[in-house]
Amino acid sequence: MLLPQEIIRRKRDGAALAAADIQALVAGIADGRVSEAQMGAFAMAVCCRGMDTAEAVALTLAMRDSGERLRWDGAQQLPGPVVDKHSTGGVGDTVSLMLGPMLAACGCFVPMISGRGLGHTGGTLDKLESIPGYRVQPSLAQLQRVVREVGVAIVGAGERLAPADRRLYAVRDVTATVESMPLITASILAKKLAAGLQALVLDVKFGSGAFMQEPAAASALAQSLVQVGQDAGLPTRALLTDMDQPLAPAAGNALELSLTLDYLSGRDRPARLHELVMALGGSLLLQAGQVSHWSEAEGRLQRALDSGQAAERFARMVAGLGGPADLLERSQRYLAAAPVVKAVPVPPEARAAGLSRVASIDTRALGIVVVQLGGGRRRSEDRIDPAVGLSALAPVGAVLERGTPVALVHAANPASADAAVAAVQAAYRWTDPAAAWAKRPVVAGMIEPRVVP
Ligand code: URA
C-alpha cells in the first residue's frame, strides 16, 4: 500500500487514483492513521484536480465500508422496498418529515439518514430535536426495529454509519473544501448506501437558497450523484428543484415541525411544497416498482395523506424514538413558542411607490436570519433555540394588501426581533402589482443515469 502522502501527491499532480489506494486512504481516515493535515491536503487535492466517475465510486464505496451497514435480508427481511430521498439543502424544506411517513404508509420502508443544518440551510435532525425526548441517534438495533415496525425512522448517521465521512467532513468544513463535486457525492451517497437502500431519489436544488445557485452547477451535481449512485449499485434519480424562495411558508425548527403536523393532518398543505412532496414520492414509488404509472403513484400518496395513515406513521415514529405519544393531538404542549412575535411590514418606500407584489426573495438571507435568531449554529458547538424563526412568509408573486405582513418573526427578545424584521425587509424585492408575472414550477427537470449502449 502507498503511504498516504504518496496517494495525496498523485492526486495533487492530477493522476487518477486506483481503487485500492482510495480504500487504503479511507480506512486510514476511519481508524485515525491518516492525520487531519493529510485529510485536509487530500480534500484540497480532490477539490482542485477532481475525480473521474470510477474514482468517485471507489471513494463512495470505501466510505460506505468504513463503518457498519444496515442489512435488510435474512432475519431482517422486510415485506416492501427500502427507499429514501435526500435533499442538497434549502430553506423551509420540510419534505423529509412529510414524505418519510407517506412512503411508509404506501408500503415502503424508509431508514432516513438525515443531517443537521449547514450554513444557512435547515437540518431535519435539528427540526426533530424540537420534539422533547426524540432520539436522533438511537442504537442501530432500535433504528432497525422502528423501521421494521413503523416503516420509517428519521435519524442521524451517528458514529457507526460511514464514520470516515464524519471525520473527513469535519476537516472539509474548515478547509474550504466542502464545494467539491466528488467529495459531496461520496459524502451523501456513502451514508445512503450504508443504510442498505434499494432506491434513492435526490432533490438537487438551485437558486438563491441553494448551495449550488446556478442551475448548470446543480445539474452537474445531480448527474454526478445519479451516476455514482447507480454505478455503486443503488438505483438513483434526481429532481432539479427551485430554491429561489423558501419551500414552505415557515423557516425555523419548531415552526417547521408545526407546519409538518398541519400538512400531515390536512389542516394546511401549501401548494408548492405539496407539489414537490408528490413529485419526489411519485418518482420513488415508480423506481421501487410499487406502481406502474405516475397517476397511480399520485393516488397512493394522496390516499396516504387523506386517510390519516401518514400522520399515524409519523406519530408512531416519534413515539418509537422516545418522543411523546400524543404529539399530533397536543403539539402546543410540546413545541416551544417564542416569547416575541413581530410582524414584518412591507417597507414604507415600496408602499409609497405603489410596489406591493413580491418580485424576488434572497432566500439565503432568510436562512441567515433564522441562524441569527438562534435557530441555527454560528459554531458547531452552539445550542439551537427551537422556538425562533419565521412564519407566514409571503411567496414570490404575492400581492400584499395594506396591513398584510411580509412574514412573522419569532424571536427570543425584542432586540433580535427588530434586527430580524429589518433583515427580512432587506431580503425581499418588490414590483408593481400590475407587472407581468409568471409562476415558476418547483420541479425544473429530472436526471436519470446514462444508459451505456
Ligand atoms: N451533505 C452531506 O452529507 N455531505 C456533503 O458533502 C454536503 C452535503
Side-chain angles (χ1 to χ4, degrees):
M1 178 212 144
L2 288 176
L3 288 170
Q5 52 268 48
E6 289 303 304
I7 299 172
I8 296 164
R9 192 162 189 265
R10 282 192 180 179
K11 184 41 67 189
R12 181 200 70 191
D13 294 344
L17 298 178
D21 290 336
I22 292 175
Q23 283 155 11
L25 191 79
V26 171
I29 291 175
D31 67 18
R33 278 174 298 137
V34 171
S35 70
E36 288 202 349
Q38 289 172 321
M39 279 191 263
F42 172 70
M44 188 57 83
V46 175
C47 225
C48 296
R49 292 297 195 164
M51 277 185 155
D52 63 26
T53 304
E55 290 176 283
V57 171
L59 182 62
T60 303
L61 293 176
M63 300 232 289
R64 173 198 70 182
D65 295 339
S66 66
E68 293 184 45
R69 281 171 67 185
L70 297 182
R71 305 223 174 248
W72 305 103
D73 47 13
Q76 300 291 344
Q77 188 77 46
L78 297 171
V82 184
V83 303
D84 195 4
K85 89 97 205 173
H86 185 84
S87 141
T88 53
V91 178
D93 180 1
T94 50
V95 171
S96 292
L97 299 171
M98 296 152 176
L99 191 54
M102 287 166 70
L103 290 166
C106 290
C108 298
F109 290 85
V110 192
M112 191 177 272
I113 308 301
S114 297
R116 298 201 175 274
L118 194 61
H120 66 282
T121 65
T124 301
L125 298 184
D126 297 329
K127 295 170 203 180
L128 285 166
E129 277 187 342
S130 57
I131 305 172
Y134 191 100
R135 272 194 295 282
V136 295
Q137 304 291 3
S139 65
L140 290 187
Q142 188 182 13
L143 163 60
Q144 288 203 284
R145 182 175 55 74
V146 175
V147 171
R148 201 170 43 246
E149 291 175 4
V150 182
V152 55
I154 309 179
V155 298
E159 294 291 336
R160 287 191 281 172
L161 297 181
D165 173 62
R166 205 181 166 84
R167 291 200 68 208
L168 185 58
Y169 193 89
V171 171
R172 286 168 59 209
D173 202 18
V174 292
T175 54
T177 52
V178 171
E179 298 94 339
S180 150
M181 207 79 85
L183 293 180
I184 294 177
T185 301
S187 169
I188 290 177
L189 291 176
K191 290 171 282 203
K192 297 291 161 187
L193 286 159
L197 303 183
Q198 290 153 2
L200 172 67
V201 69
L202 294 152
D203 176 2
V204 180
K205 297 185 181 296
F206 63 89
S208 63
F211 283 114
M212 300 281 177
Q213 299 200 351
E214 293 305 318
S219 174
L221 176 60
Q223 272 159 13
S224 164
L225 284 160
V226 165
Q227 201 57 49
V228 172
Q230 195 77 17
D231 290 358
L234 173 58
T236 308
R237 300 282 179 279
L239 298 188
L240 286 171
T241 74
D242 178 22
M243 187 29 77
D244 243 352
Q245 59 178 308
L247 188 56
N253 297 292
L255 292 166
E256 289 184 56
L257 218 289
S258 169
L259 187 137
T260 301
L261 301 182
D262 285 346
Y263 180 94
L264 290 172
S265 56
R267 286 189 288 271
D268 187 21
R269 294 201 180 121
R272 264 176 86 73
L273 177 62
H274 187 53
E275 196 183 324
L276 184 53
V277 170
M278 298 296 275
L280 290 162
S283 171
L284 259 186
L285 291 184
L286 281 163
Q287 270 172 257
Q290 290 293 89
V291 295
S292 44
H293 305 288
W294 169 248
S295 57
E296 196 186 343
E298 211 173 22
R300 290 274 292 273
L301 290 163
Q302 195 64 52
R303 276 197 299 284
L305 282 174
D306 296 343
S307 63
Q309 284 186 43
E312 191 235 9
R313 299 287 174 141
F314 186 85
R316 283 171 57 201
M317 172 186 80
V318 168
L321 289 169
D326 57 351
L327 178 71
L328 259 79
E329 296 78 27
R330 273 181 276 281
S331 60
Q332 297 202 341
R333 177 196 283 187
Y334 297 111
L335 298 182
V340 180
V341 179
K342 201 161 177 187
V344 181
V346 175
E349 322 75 83
R351 278 271 178 240
L355 308 180
S356 57
R357 189 195 281 281
V358 178
S360 65
I361 303 173
D362 180 348
T363 311
R364 185 174 192 282
L366 292 184
I368 298 289
V369 172
V370 177
V371 175
Q372 281 172 336
L373 282 164
R377 297 178 187 80
R378 293 160 198 259
R379 293 171 310 171
S380 55
E381 61 274 23
D382 282 355
R383 278 178 68 86
I384 277 186
D385 181 347
V388 300
L390 305 169
S391 69
L393 285 158
V396 172
V399 176
L400 300 193
E401 301 302 336
R402 221 161 256 287
T404 307
V406 184
L408 297 176
V409 164
H410 300 247
N413 55 61
S416 63
D418 288 343
V421 166
V424 172
Q425 284 180 323
Y428 274 72
R429 294 277 168 275
W430 300 91
T431 187
D432 189 325
W437 174 73
K439 194 170 167 196
R440 278 231 307 260
V442 65
V443 178
M446 178 189 251
I447 306 285
E448 297 187 272
R450 275 192 310 271
V451 181
V452 183

